[in-house]
Amino acid sequence: ASPQAKMPSFGKKDGNTIEDTMAGLEAPLSMFHAACEGDLQDVAVLFKVMSGQMLPPHMLCQFMGVAPEQLEKASRENPIKVTAAQLMGGVAAALDENDSADMYIDKIRTCAADVNERKEMEKLRNAMTLDASTAASLEARLLKSMQDDAELIAHLTGIKEVHDTWRQECDVTDAVRFPTVVVGPQILSFDGMSRAHHERLLTETERQLFFLREGESTVDVLREKLAPLRRSEPLIALAQRERIAWLATLATGTQVSAVSLGNTDWVAEVDSNIARDISTDAFQANIDRVLKDVTLGSSPERIDLVESEIAKAVVRAGEALASPMKDYESVVYHACLRALTEELFSHDIKSSPISASLKAVKTTRRKIGDRFFRKNWLPMESNPDIFNQLGQQLGLPTAQAQFYEVWSLDAEMLACAEMVPSPAYAVLVCFPLTAEYRKAAGIAAVSGDGTGPYFMRQTVPNACGTVALVHAFAALPLEMQQLAVKTDSPHSDWLGSFVAKTQAQDAMQRAAALEDDEALSASHNTMAAQGDTNVEAFQAPGAADNEYKAVMHFVAYVHHGGVLYELDGLKRGPVARGNTTPCRLLQDSALWVSKVVEADPDERRVALIALAKVAS
C-alpha cells in the first residue's frame, strides 16, 4: 500500500505483481471512468466496493493525487473530477503485490453498470414534471402524515414543554435565555422534522413513476419536483406554509400565521433588517470580543453568547416591521422562513428571499468554528507512550521524568517501584466525560485563595490532555522544569516557556493563551492520532454535534503544600482532596479515585498514568 496514507489493501492472492494486476484492470477501470466521468463520489463508492470500507475524502484525494485545496473548493455545482490516469494511479497505490485482477474485474464492471443505470434514471426523472393536482395531493398527504405521526407529536410536545418552562421561569425578553440559545438553534429545525415524512411519502408505485431506484432517497427528488409548483401555485404554496406554521405553533406555543410567511414585503424587510444589523462593523467587532474574552466563560458559554447576539438582531428586525413582532416571535418566524427555504431553494440558496440574512448569520457562525473548531483538537487516550512523546516534543525532561501506566489500584502494587518509580509528581486520571459531569464541574466548589498549585481552565474542546500535561509539568520541581532537551520540534521548550510566561496570570488568562496558540494543536493532534482513537470520526463534518462529543476527560492530581489537589480544567479552580506528601501522592490519588469509582459501580472506565522520576 501507499506509504503516504494508511489504507487497508483491497485483498491478497499469490502469484501476481501490481503491474500484472493493473494490466488486467485497465479496461474495466477505463469503462468505469467513462461512465462516471471521473466524479470523485463515484470513485469513493468504487473503492468501498473493492476494499470493503469507505475512505475519508482527504485520504481518497491523497490516493488520487488531488490537491487538498481542490477538496476545500468542491461543491454540488463544482464536484471534484479525476482523470483516468489519476484513477489508475489511485487503484495501483491501494493494491498489494499479490492482488489479482480477477478479484476486482466483476466488481468494477458492476459499479460501471450501476453508474450508467443511475444516469439513465436521472435523465428520465429530469424530463418528468408534476401537474398541480398531483402536487396539491402530495402536499395534503404530507401534512396528514405528520399530524398522524405519534412519535413526531411526542417530539413536538417535548419541545413545547421546554418553551412553556422558559416562559414560566425566565424573562422572555432576555435573548440569553431564549430556547434557541440555551438548547441550541436546532430546537427550531422544522425542516429536519419534515425530511423523514418527505422520505416515506411515496408509495412503491409512485417511486417508480419518479424513476427512483431501490434504496434511493426520496427527499431531494420530491422537493425538486414540488418546488416549482410550491413557488407558483398559490394554493399549494399556502398549504406548504400552513404545514410549517402548524409545526412551529405546536412546537413553540408561538402562534405563526401562514399568511404572514407569504407576505413578501414582510419577508423582504425582515431579511434586509437582519442582514444589515449583523453585517455592521460594530456587531462583528462585538462578536470577535465575545469569542476572545475568556472571562466570559468556556467555549460553549461564549458560543451561547454569540447565539444570543444573533437572536437579538432577529428580534430587532421583527420589531422594526410596520406590524411589529415581539421578542421570540421574530426568531420563530425566521426559523419558519429557513424551513421554507430548505424545501424551495435547497440547491440554490442565493435565490431564496432570505438569502441575505442566511448569509450574514452563516458568516457570523463561521467565526465560532474558526475560533474553537478549526483547530479541531482530537481527544487523547490514557497512553503513557503518547504522553511521553508529546511531552518530549513540548519540553518535558523525559531523561528525568516520564509517564508510567498505573495498571492496578491495589495498595501493594502502588508501592511497587517496578510499576511506577518514586516519587510521582502528578497522577493523570482519564474517565468518560458526560453531560452531567460537565454541568456539575462548572458549578463545583473550589479550594484555596490563589496560593495553591499552578492551575489553568480548559476552554478548548478536547484539549484536556494537553491541559493535564501542563498541570503535570508545572508540578515538577523548578530545577527539573529547566532541564528540557532541545529537539527538532518547533515547540521543544513550549511547556517551560508557557508556564513561566503565564505564572502571574489567572486561570482564564492561561486558558486564553492556550486558545490563541495556533501551532500547538498540531502537536497535540499528531500524538492523539497515534492512539486507538477514531480520528476520522472526530474530524468528520458535524462531529462536534454527534456521539463523539462525549469523549474521555483528563484531570491531574498533584501535591502542593501538604495537600492533594485535583486539577480539572472544567472547574473554576483547584479542589483539595485531603492531605498527602510527595512520597504518598500516587497512593493517595489512587485512594481518592477508588472512592469515586466505588460510588458509581456502573462506571469502571477509569485509567491512570503517573508522571514520576526516572529510576536511576
Side-chain angles (χ1 to χ4, degrees):
S2 166
Q4 292 149 351
K6 295 179 181 178
M7 172 182 172
S9 61
F10 292 153
K12 289 188 177 181
K13 189 172 180 179
D14 294 337
N16 294 281
T17 66
I18 290 177
E19 289 76 12
D20 293 334
T21 304
M22 287 305 299
L25 295 180
E26 183 175 356
L29 283 174
S30 295
M31 179 175 64
F32 172 80
H33 186 270
C36 73
E37 300 177 301
D39 191 304
L40 194 66
Q41 289 190 355
D42 289 324
V43 173
V45 173
L46 174 67
F47 267 62
K48 181 181 180 181
V49 170
M50 294 178 72
S51 70
Q53 67 180 41
M54 183 67 79
L55 292 181
H58 77 272
M59 188 179 289
L60 186 63
C61 286
Q62 189 170 339
F63 272 89
M64 296 293 118
V66 175
E69 51 268 25
Q70 283 187 256
L71 182 60
E72 295 175 3
K73 296 177 181 178
S75 65
R76 178 187 175 91
E77 296 74 26
N78 184 35
I80 295 177
K81 303 271 190 175
V82 298
T83 65
Q86 286 176 311
L87 174 62
M88 302 288 182
V91 171
L95 292 172
D96 273 342
E97 285 289 344
N98 294 320
D99 280 350
S100 163
D102 292 339
M103 299 168 62
Y104 306 116
I105 288 176
D106 287 345
K107 292 180 179 180
I108 297 171
R109 287 174 175 166
T110 299
C111 285
D114 190 64
V115 171
N116 283 326
E117 180 189 348
R118 188 194 74 223
K119 290 194 170 185
E120 185 61 31
M121 295 287 272
E122 286 174 353
K123 287 181 182 178
L124 294 171
R125 189 161 61 235
N126 290 338
M128 84 163 277
T129 57
L130 284 181
D131 58 65
S133 62
T134 301
S137 173
L138 289 170
E139 189 63 63
R141 283 166 51 192
L142 188 58
L143 175 60
K144 187 175 188 309
S145 168
M146 299 177 80
Q147 291 174 332
D148 292 344
D149 186 341
E151 289 187 7
L152 175 62
I153 299 301
H155 176 64
L156 294 172
T157 301
I159 298 174
K160 173 69 161 42
E161 289 173 355
V162 171
H163 284 79
D164 288 343
T165 300
W166 159 67
R167 289 188 176 96
Q168 292 167 8
E169 298 180 356
C170 302
D171 176 1
V172 296
T173 66
D174 181 5
V176 176
R177 302 303 304 166
F178 280 179
T180 50
V181 175
V182 176
V183 179
Q186 69 275 9
I187 197 171
L188 297 186
S189 180
F190 304 129
D191 169 66
M193 297 175 195
S194 71
R195 288 188 66 87
H197 290 270
H198 276 82
E199 183 63 60
R200 57 178 183 251
L201 184 65
L202 300 181
T203 65
E204 192 56 43
T205 299
E206 288 171 332
R207 284 181 57 86
Q208 294 175 13
L209 294 175
F210 274 81
F211 300 102
L212 286 163
R213 298 188 303 160
E214 184 179 354
E216 190 172 2
S217 174
T218 302
V219 178
D220 289 340
V221 173
L222 189 55
R223 284 181 170 181
E224 181 182 341
K225 294 303 178 182
L226 284 170
L229 294 163
R230 284 170 166 171
R231 290 194 293 263
S232 62
E233 294 289 333
L235 291 179
I236 297 174
L238 179 60
Q240 180 195 25
R241 294 195 299 270
E242 286 176 339
R243 172 170 49 84
I244 298 297
W246 170 78
L247 272 173
T249 301
L250 192 59
T252 68
T254 298
Q255 199 67 35
V256 179
S257 162
V259 174
S260 71
L261 293 175
N263 187 321
T264 55
D265 290 338
W266 276 26
V267 172
E269 190 172 353
V270 165
D271 180 59
S272 175
N273 290 345
I274 294 173
R276 184 169 54 250
D277 192 333
I278 290 180
S279 299
T280 62
D281 291 342
F283 185 94
Q284 291 300 321
N286 185 46
I287 296 299
D288 293 339
R289 179 191 63 79
V290 168
L291 289 173
K292 292 179 181 179
D293 187 354
V294 294
T295 65
L296 297 175
S298 64
S299 53
E301 291 169 318
R302 281 177 277 162
I303 290 171
D304 284 351
L305 289 174
V306 170
E307 289 296 338
S308 72
E309 292 301 320
I310 293 173
K312 290 175 186 177
V314 176
V315 168
R316 288 191 291 268
E319 290 174 341
L321 292 173
S323 299
M325 296 181 186
K326 291 185 178 181
D327 305 316
Y328 196 63
E329 182 183 357
S330 303
V331 177
V332 177
Y333 182 76
H334 194 252
C336 291
L337 296 178
R338 289 201 313 270
L340 289 169
T341 289
E342 284 295 323
E343 293 188 2
L344 295 170
F345 305 97
S346 58
H347 301 313
D348 185 21
I349 298 298
K350 292 180 180 179
S351 297
S352 165
I354 60 166
S355 61
S357 59
L358 291 178
K359 180 180 179 181
V361 171
K362 182 178 181 180
T363 299
T364 302
R365 287 186 174 141
R366 187 178 293 126
K367 289 188 173 184
I368 296 174
D370 288 344
R371 181 67 183 179
F372 299 120
F373 303 112
R374 179 170 52 82
K375 298 173 187 176
N376 203 21
W377 293 56
L378 302 178
M380 291 182 69
E381 61 186 60
S382 184
N383 184 322
D385 293 334
I386 289 175
F387 270 84
N388 282 328
Q389 291 179 56
L390 177 59
Q392 187 172 31
Q393 284 189 9
L394 301 181
L396 180 70
T398 51
Q400 288 74 33
Q402 292 189 16
F403 285 96
Y404 298 86
E405 183 177 7
V406 181
W407 39 268
S408 174
L409 296 180
D410 179 78
E412 291 186 10
M413 295 304 300
L414 290 169
C416 178
E418 292 183 2
M419 182 169 71
V420 178
S422 183
Y425 302 111
V427 177
L428 272 54
V429 181
C430 181
F431 56 90
L433 176 62
T434 63
E436 292 76 15
Y437 180 89
R438 184 188 293 276
K439 182 177 180 180
I443 59 175
V446 297
S447 310
D449 54 3
T451 60
Y454 180 98
F455 175 78
M456 66 180 295
R457 294 290 301 274
Q458 178 199 338
T459 57
V460 178
N462 294 331
C464 57
T466 295
V467 170
L469 177 60
V470 172
H471 285 149
F473 177 87
L476 291 173
L478 184 59
E479 62 273 13
M480 192 176 288
Q481 293 182 22
Q482 298 170 345
L483 294 176
V485 178
K486 291 286 185 179
T487 67
D488 293 335
S489 169
H491 309 297
S492 60
D493 61 347
W494 184 87
L495 283 167
S497 175
F498 183 85
V499 170
K501 74 181 181 182
T502 61
Q503 193 69 53
Q505 296 180 352
D506 62 31
M508 290 305 290
Q509 290 172 326
R510 292 165 183 164
L514 182 67
E515 220 175 79
D516 289 332
D517 196 312
E518 290 289 336
L520 179 64
S521 61
S523 292
H524 170 105
N525 287 351
T526 298
M527 292 299 107
Q530 292 186 18
D532 294 328
T533 298
N534 188 339
V535 170
E536 298 302 336
F538 281 98
Q539 291 179 325
D545 295 319
N546 64 21
E547 66 271 24
Y548 293 101
K549 201 169 185 177
V551 296
M552 306 300 279
H553 182 58
F554 284 94
V555 301
Y557 290 87
V558 302
H559 163 265
H560 185 85
V563 178
L564 173 66
Y565 281 101
E566 176 186 283
L567 307 181
D568 182 348
L570 295 181
K571 296 182 178 179
R572 293 171 295 161
V575 180
R577 296 302 187 189
N579 297 326
T580 192
T581 66
C583 293
R584 287 281 309 169
L585 172 64
L586 177 60
Q587 289 84 348
D588 291 334
S589 299
L591 181 60
W592 173 258
V593 172
S594 296
K595 292 179 180 178
V596 174
V597 171
E598 289 172 4
D600 186 6
D602 294 330
E603 184 52 79
R604 300 287 182 179
R605 291 177 295 167
V606 176
L608 283 73
I609 59 176
L611 178 63
K613 184 177 182 179
V614 174
S616 54

